[in-house]
């Protein structure tokens, strides 16, 4: 593990020197093109790192670093050429194809484990707990109880774990955050922004849903995802499911409705905006689930989104199952680091 982390640290410097500077934003007139370009090269780096990870079993790390340095210089030349030719369409297609493949792998992984409820549970202060609090120091007991509610390992198909935990940001309103237990390559799909999907044509009818709401993210096409109430709805559905299953056999439709709250990667609403001294290491990208990409109904059930209303005629597409927002690593992320998403930009 130390060898792979050394290799990723080596790569981090290379990538940040090229893509981590603020003046790169002037290269394109639209943030969308810039983000797509960054994702394109992050996913290219991911492909190379996966190959190199296998080579590490046979070659010394110095030899691998030298080869990686040569490949990176070649990619820098390609990056400059791409800027000159503005191959935005080509890059977008590459990103979507790579992302679609990762989505299929992730959802098959989720289905195989039967889903996993990732959301921190609210406290259940029973009478016995209250009695214990009277006998013990309340703060110690609350800390113990909190430890049971967070930091549940969420196993990713690439071999690392994500976990919702208390944020490392030193701010009283930081609350929960998402950290990694393992090393994440750039260009890796980490999950989705869960919540209710609104279209530009019907947002004006639901303005109260967006008032004082910091858990909303917008796509370039004007579609918005509201994740504010998702965890609460998940808790209510969890309680209803548990109670109903005790007294009757659950119908398949009820189980399917519960599945969207059991996708362990529908947790992007817990990713914080980076503090002033850190860069965002995650970027969002608009993603549409389609029948042609993922025809299996049992996989579609785990999509952590729902439409607020019927799909307006302007946005109807018989192939599209759900409009969503994917979250992807843009830099290497080492074990123990927190994920950060720049909420100033829309995907």
């Amino acid at each position: 593990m130390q060898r792979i982390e050394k290799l990723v640290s080596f790569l981090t410097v290379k990538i940040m020197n090229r893509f981590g500077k603020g003046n790169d934003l002037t290269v394109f007139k639209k943030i969308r093109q810039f983000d797509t370009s960054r994702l394109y090269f992050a996913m290219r780096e991911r492909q190379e790192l996966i190959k190199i990870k296998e080579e590490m079993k046979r070659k010394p790390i110095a030899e691998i670093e030298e080869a990686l340095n040569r490949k990176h210089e070649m990619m820098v030349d390609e990056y400059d050429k791409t800027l000159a030719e503005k191959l935005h369409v080509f890059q977008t297609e590459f990103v979507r194809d790579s992302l679609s493949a990762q989505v299929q792998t992730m959802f098959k992984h989720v289905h195989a484990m039967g889903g996993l409820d990732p959301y921190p549970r609210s406290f259940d202060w029973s009478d016995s707990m209250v009695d214990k609090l009277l006998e013990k120091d309340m703060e110690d007991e609350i800390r113990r109880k909190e430890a049971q509610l967070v930091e549940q390992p969420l196993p990713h198909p690439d071999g690392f774990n994500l976990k919702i935990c208390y944020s490392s940001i030193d701010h009283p309103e930081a609350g929960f955050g998402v950290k990694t237990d393992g090393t994440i390559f750039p260009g890796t799909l980490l999950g989705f922004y869960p919540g209710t999907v609104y279209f530009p044509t019907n947002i004006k009818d639901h303005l109260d849903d967006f008032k004082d709401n910091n858990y909303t993210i917008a796509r370039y096409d004007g579609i918005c995802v509201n994740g504010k109430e998702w965890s609460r709805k998940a808790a209510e559905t969890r309680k209803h499911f548990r109670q109903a299953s005790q007294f009757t056999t659950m119908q398949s439709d009820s189980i399917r409705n519960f599945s969207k709250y059991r996708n362990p990667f529908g947790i992007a609403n817990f990713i914080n905006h980076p503090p002033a001294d850190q860069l965002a290491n995650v970027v969002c990208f608009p993603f549409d689930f389609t029948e042609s990409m993922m025809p299996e109904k049992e996989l579609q059930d785990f999509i952590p989104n729902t439409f607020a209303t019927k799909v307006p005629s302007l946005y109807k597409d018989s192939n599209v199952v759900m409009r969503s927002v994917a979250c992807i690593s843009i830099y290497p992320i080492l074990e123990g680091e927190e994920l950060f998403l720049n909420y100033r930009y829309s995907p």
Side-chain angles (χ1 to χ4, degrees):
M1 181 59 68
Q2 291 181 348
R3 297 180 72 206
I4 190 65
E5 288 194 358
K6 180 180 178 182
L7 178 65
V8 172
S9 297
F10 170 81
L11 178 62
T12 302
V13 176
K14 294 290 184 181
I15 295 178
M16 284 191 169
N17 285 342
R18 188 60 192 173
F19 305 117
K21 306 300 182 181
N23 58 9
D24 275 77
L25 290 174
T26 62
V27 172
F28 291 117
K29 293 182 180 179
K30 296 180 180 179
I31 299 297
R32 175 178 57 184
Q33 292 176 316
F34 174 70
D35 279 346
T36 302
S37 182
R38 290 198 302 174
L39 276 177
Y40 169 75
F41 285 95
M43 288 180 171
R44 287 285 305 276
E45 296 279 10
R46 180 176 184 271
Q47 290 180 344
E48 294 300 326
L49 276 170
I50 290 174
K51 295 178 183 177
I52 290 170
K53 188 176 180 179
E54 293 301 315
E55 293 180 2
M56 289 179 65
K57 300 175 182 178
R58 305 184 303 272
K59 297 180 181 179
I61 194 168
E63 182 179 339
I64 295 174
E65 286 182 356
E66 182 180 354
L68 181 60
N69 192 42
R70 289 197 302 269
K71 280 187 173 293
H72 186 270
E73 295 303 322
M74 291 172 61
M75 291 184 69
V76 167
D77 293 339
E78 182 183 348
Y79 178 75
D80 292 332
K81 181 180 179 181
T82 300
L83 296 185
E85 298 178 357
K86 297 183 179 180
L87 298 179
H88 176 62
V89 174
F90 167 77
Q91 291 183 340
T92 301
E93 290 179 352
F94 179 90
V95 170
R96 291 193 186 283
D97 289 345
S98 177
L99 186 54
S100 294
Q102 293 189 59
V103 169
Q104 293 178 52
T105 299
M106 174 177 284
F107 273 69
K108 290 177 181 177
H109 173 71
V110 172
H111 180 261
M113 72 168 69
L116 182 64
D117 186 349
Y119 307 110
R121 290 159 173 76
S122 58
F123 289 141
D124 180 16
W125 297 119
S126 61
D127 292 339
S128 60
M129 178 61 69
V130 173
D131 292 339
K132 290 181 179 179
L133 288 176
L134 295 175
E135 300 172 2
K136 297 183 178 181
D137 181 81
M138 180 175 291
E139 184 175 353
D140 288 345
E141 184 64 20
I142 289 177
R143 288 183 183 276
R144 185 193 67 79
K145 188 68 175 177
E146 285 179 340
Q148 298 175 355
L149 305 179
V150 298
E151 300 194 18
Q152 174 185 198
L154 309 173
H156 192 279
D158 279 9
F160 58 85
N161 292 328
L162 295 176
K163 57 184 180 181
I164 298 174
C165 54
Y166 291 101
S167 176
S168 59
I169 299 176
D170 186 15
H171 191 280
E173 296 183 3
F176 290 120
V178 180
K179 294 184 180 181
T180 174
D181 182 11
T183 301
I184 301 174
F185 292 161
T188 299
L189 171 65
L190 300 176
F192 293 88
Y193 203 93
T196 307
V197 178
Y198 296 80
F199 293 91
T201 53
N202 59 26
I203 285 181
K204 63 181 181 296
D205 299 325
H206 300 272
L207 293 180
D208 289 344
D209 295 343
F210 297 91
K211 186 178 180 181
D212 300 324
N213 186 350
N214 295 322
Y215 295 91
T216 298
I217 196 161
R219 306 190 344 167
Y220 291 122
D221 55 10
I223 293 174
C224 294
V225 180
N226 178 7
K228 184 177 182 179
E229 299 295 322
W230 191 257
S231 298
R232 181 186 61 80
K233 291 178 181 178
E236 291 177 354
T237 305
R238 179 196 307 129
K239 182 179 180 180
H240 173 74
F241 183 88
R242 185 184 302 116
Q243 292 175 343
S245 62
Q246 292 177 352
F247 301 102
T248 183
T249 301
M250 297 295 291
Q251 299 296 319
S252 59
D253 288 345
S254 299
I255 296 175
R256 291 181 60 185
N257 184 58
F258 186 54
S259 295
K260 59 176 169 283
Y261 298 111
R262 290 182 58 79
N263 187 329
F265 305 107
I267 58 173
N269 54 329
F270 287 98
I271 301 178
N272 284 310
H273 186 82
D277 59 343
Q278 295 191 47
L279 288 170
N281 49 23
V282 174
V283 69
C284 280
F285 192 78
F287 185 81
D288 292 340
F289 290 90
T290 63
E291 288 280 358
S292 56
M293 184 273 296
M294 197 168 69
E296 302 91 342
K297 299 298 182 184
E298 64 271 20
L299 300 186
Q300 294 177 13
D301 292 340
F302 286 102
I303 299 174
N305 299 102
T306 185
F307 288 123
T309 62
K310 291 183 178 180
V311 179
S313 57
L314 182 63
Y315 293 90
K316 282 186 177 179
D317 185 331
S318 59
N319 189 38
V320 175
V321 176
M322 181 59 66
R323 314 279 185 173
S324 190
V325 173
C327 292
I328 307 158
S329 58
I330 197 65
Y331 298 126
I333 305 174
L334 301 182
E335 183 169 357
E337 292 185 348
E338 185 170 351
L339 308 186
F340 292 117
L341 170 65
N342 193 330
Y343 281 91
R344 294 194 182 101
Y345 301 142
S346 298

